[in-house]
Amino acid sequence: QVQLQESGPGLVKPSETLALTCTVSGGSNSNNYWSWIRQPPGKGLQWIGYVYNNGRTNYSPSLESRVTISVDTSKNQFSLKVRSLTAADTAVYYCARGDDSSWLSFDYWGQGILVTVSS
Amino acid sequence: DFQMTQSPSSLSASVGDRVSITCRASQSISLYLNWYQQKPGKAPKLLIYGTSNLQSGVPSRFSGSGSGIDFTLTISSLQPEDFATYYCHQSYSTPWTFGQGTKVEIK
């Protein structure tokens, strides 16, 4: 059974950089797109971007200038950095696995981590 | 970007009812449409992928249909544990996008 677990700070100051890590256990394959998705309180889901197993990335244009996603296959981890934070970045951040054998749907999710941007 | 529009935004239904939620894409997305269920404080859970494929472990009362731009999630007989918010998601083209959600409430 694949499991994902987010880790990182719950409170970050405006203008600073958020760094989150997702640890994957239980196996993966070469056809996985490791994504970050966020959900502001009371609102819907927003895809941030993905890193493929070979390190190739793809980002949402609305966040591309401030976001970096990377993978460390030796540690079974992938990471998210969001720069120049504002209150609008306050959200629950989820990591999730996309699998091209299931139409690129997100079949496994982490539990989510609430990140609040506030001074 | 491919915009995804769900309707209705919310609905009230009773246990045993047949419920349908629709999702319309701004352009054709072939069959790259997925459905998720989210309960308060929890991560979304994949229900249907590729328009009509039932994810392992998901009850057969859930089904999906459609193609191109119009898609439907149907719950054949609503159960107490089905009261939640449902999201559609297109994985045809990045940036991958979600519908705004449909909240299914108890009548």
Side-chain angles (χ1 to χ4, degrees), chain B residues 33-72:
Chain B
L33 192 283
N34 313 298
W35 291 97
Y36 303 85
Q37 176 193 69
Q38 187 179 34
K39 296 182 178 179
K42 300 294 186 181
K45 172 188 172 183
L46 178 64
L47 299 175
I48 302 281
Y49 62 91
T51 296
S52 60
N53 299 285
L54 195 66
Q55 174 68 349
S56 176
V58 174
S60 58
R61 63 180 179 273
F62 291 92
S63 63
S65 62
S67 68
I69 63 170
D70 287 320
F71 301 86
T72 301

Side-chain angles (χ1 to χ4, degrees), chain A residues 69-85:
Chain A
I69 299 175
S70 58
V71 65
D72 185 339
T73 54
S74 67
K75 294 183 178 179
N76 292 325
Q77 293 179 333
F78 63 105
S79 300
L80 170 71
K81 289 187 177 179
V82 184
R83 296 174 291 278
S84 304
L85 291 168

Side-chain angles (χ1 to χ4, degrees), chain B residues 4-9 21-24 35 86-89 98-102:
Chain B
M4 308 300 294
T5 304
Q6 286 182 233
S7 60
S9 296
I21 299 168
T22 64
C23 182
R24 171 164 286 186
W35 291 97
Y86 294 84
Y87 292 93
C88 62
H89 155 232
F98 293 87
Q100 81 278 17
T102 295

Side-chain angles (χ1 to χ4, degrees), chain A residues 33 35 37 39 43-47 50 58-61 94 101-112, chain B residues 1 30-32 34 36 38 41-46 49-50 53 55 87 89 91 94-100:
Chain A
Y33 295 76
S35 277
I37 296 154
Q39 185 172 37
K43 296 189 177 180
L45 300 164
Q46 180 186 23
W47 176 74
Y50 72 66
N58 190 307
Y59 302 122
S60 173
Y94 295 101
S101 65
S102 59
W103 297 77
L104 300 175
S105 62
F106 300 119
D107 56 356
Y108 291 98
W109 295 67
Q111 65 186 26
Chain B
D1 296 7
S30 182
L31 298 175
Y32 284 83
N34 313 298
Y36 303 85
Q38 187 179 34
K42 300 294 186 181
K45 172 188 172 183
L46 178 64
Y49 62 91
N53 299 285
Q55 174 68 349
Y87 292 93
H89 155 232
S91 50
T94 58
W96 295 331
T97 47
F98 293 87
Q100 81 278 17

Side-chain angles (χ1 to χ4, degrees), chain A residues 8 13 16 38 55 61 65 70 73 77 106 118:
Chain A
K13 292 182 169 54
E16 293 189 342
R38 71 181 185 179
S65 64
S70 58
T73 54
Q77 293 179 333
F106 300 119
S118 174

